[in-house]
PDB file of all heavy atoms in Angstrom:
ATOM      1  N   LEU A 813     -88.296  79.748 -95.832  1.00 47.00           N
ATOM      2  CA  LEU A 813     -89.515  79.725 -94.966  1.00 47.00           C
ATOM      3  C   LEU A 813     -89.961  78.314 -94.698  1.00 47.00           C
ATOM      4  O   LEU A 813     -90.300  77.976 -93.556  1.00 47.00           O
ATOM      5  CB  LEU A 813     -90.575  80.614 -95.636  1.00 47.00           C
ATOM      6  CG  LEU A 813     -91.902  80.666 -94.841  1.00 47.00           C
ATOM      7  CD1 LEU A 813     -91.675  81.302 -93.450  1.00 47.00           C
ATOM      8  CD2 LEU A 813     -92.997  81.429 -95.617  1.00 47.00           C
ATOM      9  N   PHE A 814     -89.979  77.487 -95.688  1.00 46.00           N
ATOM     10  CA  PHE A 814     -90.369  76.055 -95.576  1.00 46.00           C
ATOM     11  C   PHE A 814     -89.467  75.323 -94.604  1.00 46.00           C
ATOM     12  O   PHE A 814     -89.871  74.557 -93.731  1.00 46.00           O
ATOM     13  CB  PHE A 814     -90.361  75.370 -96.920  1.00 46.00           C
ATOM     14  CG  PHE A 814     -90.784  73.924 -96.873  1.00 46.00           C
ATOM     15  CD1 PHE A 814     -92.062  73.582 -96.667  1.00 46.00           C
ATOM     16  CD2 PHE A 814     -89.788  72.934 -96.951  1.00 46.00           C
ATOM     17  CE1 PHE A 814     -92.438  72.227 -96.586  1.00 46.00           C
ATOM     18  CE2 PHE A 814     -90.109  71.594 -96.858  1.00 46.00           C
ATOM     19  CZ  PHE A 814     -91.437  71.238 -96.693  1.00 46.00           C
ATOM     20  N   ARG A 815     -88.094  75.578 -94.727  1.00 50.00           N
ATOM     21  CA  ARG A 815     -87.192  74.971 -93.800  1.00 50.00           C
ATOM     22  C   ARG A 815     -87.411  75.388 -92.391  1.00 50.00           C
ATOM     23  O   ARG A 815     -87.313  74.634 -91.424  1.00 50.00           O
ATOM     24  CB  ARG A 815     -85.782  75.283 -94.252  1.00 50.00           C
ATOM     25  CG  ARG A 815     -85.348  74.614 -95.517  1.00 50.00           C
ATOM     26  CD  ARG A 815     -84.034  75.063 -95.946  1.00 50.00           C
ATOM     27  NE  ARG A 815     -83.609  74.435 -97.223  1.00 50.00           N
ATOM     28  CZ  ARG A 815     -82.520  74.779 -97.960  1.00 50.00           C
ATOM     29  NH1 ARG A 815     -81.744  75.724 -97.498  1.00 50.00           N
ATOM     30  NH2 ARG A 815     -82.219  74.168 -99.090  1.00 50.00           N
ATOM     31  N   ILE A 816     -87.645  76.677 -92.219  1.00 48.00           N
ATOM     32  CA  ILE A 816     -87.916  77.250 -90.812  1.00 48.00           C
ATOM     33  C   ILE A 816     -89.136  76.590 -90.239  1.00 48.00           C
ATOM     34  O   ILE A 816     -89.164  76.175 -89.054  1.00 48.00           O
ATOM     35  CB  ILE A 816     -88.010  78.742 -90.881  1.00 48.00           C
ATOM     36  CG1 ILE A 816     -86.675  79.421 -91.266  1.00 48.00           C
ATOM     37  CG2 ILE A 816     -88.516  79.274 -89.563  1.00 48.00           C
ATOM     38  CD1 ILE A 816     -86.734  80.860 -91.494  1.00 48.00           C
ATOM     39  N   LEU A 817     -90.201  76.506 -91.014  1.00 44.00           N
ATOM     40  CA  LEU A 817     -91.441  75.904 -90.497  1.00 44.00           C
ATOM     41  C   LEU A 817     -91.224  74.433 -90.178  1.00 44.00           C
ATOM     42  O   LEU A 817     -91.741  73.924 -89.204  1.00 44.00           O
ATOM     43  CB  LEU A 817     -92.560  76.062 -91.579  1.00 44.00           C
ATOM     44  CG  LEU A 817     -93.043  77.492 -91.785  1.00 44.00           C
ATOM     45  CD1 LEU A 817     -94.103  77.543 -92.947  1.00 44.00           C
ATOM     46  CD2 LEU A 817     -93.636  78.070 -90.478  1.00 44.00           C
ATOM     47  N   THR A 818     -90.482  73.718 -91.033  1.00 46.00           N
ATOM     48  CA  THR A 818     -90.205  72.277 -90.758  1.00 46.00           C
ATOM     49  C   THR A 818     -89.422  72.095 -89.486  1.00 46.00           C
ATOM     50  O   THR A 818     -89.764  71.234 -88.646  1.00 46.00           O
ATOM     51  CB  THR A 818     -89.409  71.682 -91.931  1.00 46.00           C
ATOM     52  OG1 THR A 818     -90.116  71.844 -93.141  1.00 46.00           O
ATOM     53  CG2 THR A 818     -89.114  70.195 -91.720  1.00 46.00           C
ATOM     54  N   ILE A 819     -88.349  72.856 -89.274  1.00 47.00           N
ATOM     55  CA  ILE A 819     -87.608  72.810 -88.035  1.00 47.00           C
ATOM     56  C   ILE A 819     -88.458  73.111 -86.849  1.00 47.00           C
ATOM     57  O   ILE A 819     -88.370  72.452 -85.788  1.00 47.00           O
ATOM     58  CB  ILE A 819     -86.393  73.763 -88.118  1.00 47.00           C
ATOM     59  CG1 ILE A 819     -85.413  73.227 -89.151  1.00 47.00           C
ATOM     60  CG2 ILE A 819     -85.721  73.813 -86.775  1.00 47.00           C
ATOM     61  CD1 ILE A 819     -84.284  74.201 -89.453  1.00 47.00           C
ATOM     62  N   ALA A 820     -89.270  74.130 -86.925  1.00 44.00           N
ATOM     63  CA  ALA A 820     -90.194  74.547 -85.830  1.00 44.00           C
ATOM     64  C   ALA A 820     -91.161  73.433 -85.544  1.00 44.00           C
ATOM     65  O   ALA A 820     -91.427  73.122 -84.322  1.00 44.00           O
ATOM     66  CB  ALA A 820     -90.957  75.783 -86.208  1.00 44.00           C
ATOM     67  N   ALA A 821     -91.640  72.752 -86.535  1.00 44.00           N
ATOM     68  CA  ALA A 821     -92.597  71.655 -86.297  1.00 44.00           C
ATOM     69  C   ALA A 821     -91.885  70.407 -85.601  1.00 44.00           C
ATOM     70  O   ALA A 821     -92.444  69.876 -84.710  1.00 44.00           O
ATOM     71  CB  ALA A 821     -93.180  71.180 -87.636  1.00 44.00           C
ATOM     72  N   LEU A 822     -90.617  70.225 -85.980  1.00 43.00           N
ATOM     73  CA  LEU A 822     -89.868  69.126 -85.282  1.00 43.00           C
ATOM     74  C   LEU A 822     -89.577  69.433 -83.865  1.00 43.00           C
ATOM     75  O   LEU A 822     -89.716  68.639 -83.018  1.00 43.00           O
ATOM     76  CB  LEU A 822     -88.554  68.849 -86.093  1.00 43.00           C
ATOM     77  CG  LEU A 822     -88.683  68.222 -87.506  1.00 43.00           C
ATOM     78  CD1 LEU A 822     -87.281  68.232 -88.177  1.00 43.00           C
ATOM     79  CD2 LEU A 822     -89.212  66.796 -87.320  1.00 43.00           C
ATOM     80  N   VAL A 823     -89.200  70.653 -83.644  1.00 40.00           N
ATOM     81  CA  VAL A 823     -88.921  71.097 -82.249  1.00 40.00           C
ATOM     82  C   VAL A 823     -90.178  70.977 -81.381  1.00 40.00           C
ATOM     83  O   VAL A 823     -90.189  70.530 -80.260  1.00 40.00           O
ATOM     84  CB  VAL A 823     -88.365  72.509 -82.242  1.00 40.00           C
ATOM     85  CG1 VAL A 823     -88.270  73.055 -80.823  1.00 40.00           C
ATOM     86  CG2 VAL A 823     -86.998  72.575 -82.879  1.00 40.00           C
ATOM     87  N   ALA A 824     -91.333  71.382 -81.980  1.00 43.00           N
ATOM     88  CA  ALA A 824     -92.599  71.321 -81.240  1.00 43.00           C
ATOM     89  C   ALA A 824     -92.988  69.856 -80.969  1.00 43.00           C
ATOM     90  O   ALA A 824     -93.613  69.592 -79.935  1.00 43.00           O
ATOM     91  CB  ALA A 824     -93.686  72.010 -82.011  1.00 43.00           C
ATOM     92  N   ALA A 825     -92.597  68.948 -81.866  1.00 43.00           N
ATOM     93  CA  ALA A 825     -92.931  67.562 -81.708  1.00 43.00           C
ATOM     94  C   ALA A 825     -92.056  66.834 -80.721  1.00 43.00           C
ATOM     95  O   ALA A 825     -92.410  65.759 -80.250  1.00 43.00           O
ATOM     96  CB  ALA A 825     -92.892  66.868 -83.069  1.00 43.00           C
ATOM     97  N   LEU A 826     -90.850  67.333 -80.406  1.00 39.00           N
ATOM     98  CA  LEU A 826     -89.922  66.635 -79.572  1.00 39.00           C
ATOM     99  C   LEU A 826     -90.474  66.307 -78.181  1.00 39.00           C
ATOM    100  O   LEU A 826     -90.334  65.130 -77.705  1.00 39.00           O
ATOM    101  CB  LEU A 826     -88.592  67.473 -79.419  1.00 39.00           C
ATOM    102  CG  LEU A 826     -87.742  67.440 -80.667  1.00 39.00           C
ATOM    103  CD1 LEU A 826     -86.524  68.378 -80.369  1.00 39.00           C
ATOM    104  CD2 LEU A 826     -87.245  66.010 -80.963  1.00 39.00           C
ATOM    105  N   PRO A 827     -91.148  67.193 -77.454  1.00 47.00           N
ATOM    106  CA  PRO A 827     -91.734  66.811 -76.198  1.00 47.00           C
ATOM    107  C   PRO A 827     -92.729  65.632 -76.303  1.00 47.00           C
ATOM    108  O   PRO A 827     -92.780  64.718 -75.468  1.00 47.00           O
ATOM    109  CB  PRO A 827     -92.443  68.039 -75.704  1.00 47.00           C
ATOM    110  CG  PRO A 827     -91.709  69.165 -76.367  1.00 47.00           C
ATOM    111  CD  PRO A 827     -91.407  68.611 -77.714  1.00 47.00           C
ATOM    112  N   GLY A 828     -93.495  65.640 -77.365  1.00 45.00           N
ATOM    113  CA  GLY A 828     -94.522  64.491 -77.573  1.00 45.00           C
ATOM    114  C   GLY A 828     -93.741  63.208 -77.856  1.00 45.00           C
ATOM    115  O   GLY A 828     -94.161  62.191 -77.348  1.00 45.00           O
ATOM    116  N   LEU A 829     -92.645  63.274 -78.648  1.00 39.00           N
ATOM    117  CA  LEU A 829     -91.914  62.063 -78.917  1.00 39.00           C
ATOM    118  C   LEU A 829     -91.245  61.519 -77.650  1.00 39.00           C
ATOM    119  O   LEU A 829     -91.267  60.305 -77.390  1.00 39.00           O
ATOM    120  CB  LEU A 829     -90.821  62.368 -79.949  1.00 39.00           C
ATOM    121  CG  LEU A 829     -91.306  62.675 -81.359  1.00 39.00           C
ATOM    122  CD1 LEU A 829     -90.142  63.071 -82.258  1.00 39.00           C
ATOM    123  CD2 LEU A 829     -91.999  61.428 -81.990  1.00 39.00           C
TER     124      LEU A 829
END
Side-chain angles (χ1 to χ4, degrees):
L813 178 60
F814 178 76
R815 290 174 182 172
I816 292 172
L817 291 175
T818 301
I819 293 171
L822 289 172
V823 171
L826 286 177
L829 293 173

